[in-house]
Amino acid sequence: MTTLLALEPGFFPAVGRGIGAILLYALVGLLLMLLGFYAIDLTTPGKLNRMVRDGLPNAVAVTAAGMVSMAFIVVVAIYGASGLLAEGLLASLIFGLVGIVAQVGAVRLLEWVTGIDIGDVLAAPDLRPQTFVVAAAHLALGLVVAVAIL
């Protein structure tokens, strides 16, 4: 009798390890994105979560850019781990935390240098041009930190 599907020995344990890695990296990524969100929230005037929930476009755009930039860092840390789960998770966590500190500090510095009143911008009901500068700074810093990992 012929088998329609022949699997290599060890196939299912490998799939199980892969699923476990996905779940663990997703957990680390979510943790870092939440920490990044709260770091931005703590360093900006107003309650960022309320502004996002209320759909204020500037708060939503800046928050989205911060989340995407954090994802850059986590993805590159995973890629740089070369399939080593424990090292990849630890590298993602360490680089993610450093990235959060660097990103928040640099964006606040940019706002100060440019004279952007981020509290006023985030709370505005209409989309402000300054939002694009702040969002771009988040994305650019996420890329810089991500590439620095390699």
Side-chain angles (χ1 to χ4, degrees):
M1 179 170 166
T2 349
T3 337
L4 292 176
L5 181 64
L7 300 173
E8 293 290 322
F11 173 77
F12 287 110
V15 168
R17 282 190 303 276
I19 291 170
I22 290 169
L23 295 174
L24 289 170
Y25 276 117
L27 185 64
V28 167
L30 177 63
L31 173 70
L32 289 169
M33 284 190 252
L34 288 172
L35 286 172
F37 176 83
Y38 284 113
I40 295 168
D41 189 21
L42 287 172
T43 60
T44 54
K47 290 298 297 166
L48 189 58
N49 63 352
R50 185 174 302 127
M51 289 186 270
V52 169
R53 188 174 50 249
D54 291 344
L56 295 174
N58 303 298
V60 170
V62 168
T63 300
M67 299 297 102
V68 170
S69 70
M70 189 53 53
F72 290 150
I73 295 167
V74 172
V75 166
V76 172
I78 293 167
Y79 178 78
S82 302
L84 303 171
L85 182 59
E87 288 85 346
L89 289 168
L90 188 57
S92 295
L93 189 60
I94 292 168
F95 291 135
L97 292 172
V98 170
I100 289 169
V101 171
Q103 187 173 29
V104 168
V107 171
R108 296 290 87 85
L109 179 63
L110 172 78
E111 292 163 2
W112 178 74
V113 168
T114 59
I116 294 173
D117 180 349
I118 194 63
D120 181 53
V121 171
L122 293 176
D126 56 319
L127 189 60
R128 301 277 173 93
Q130 299 92 327
T131 299
F132 297 106
V133 173
V134 176
H138 277 289
L139 293 171
L141 287 161
L143 285 170
V144 167
V145 172
V147 172
I149 294 169
L150 297 175

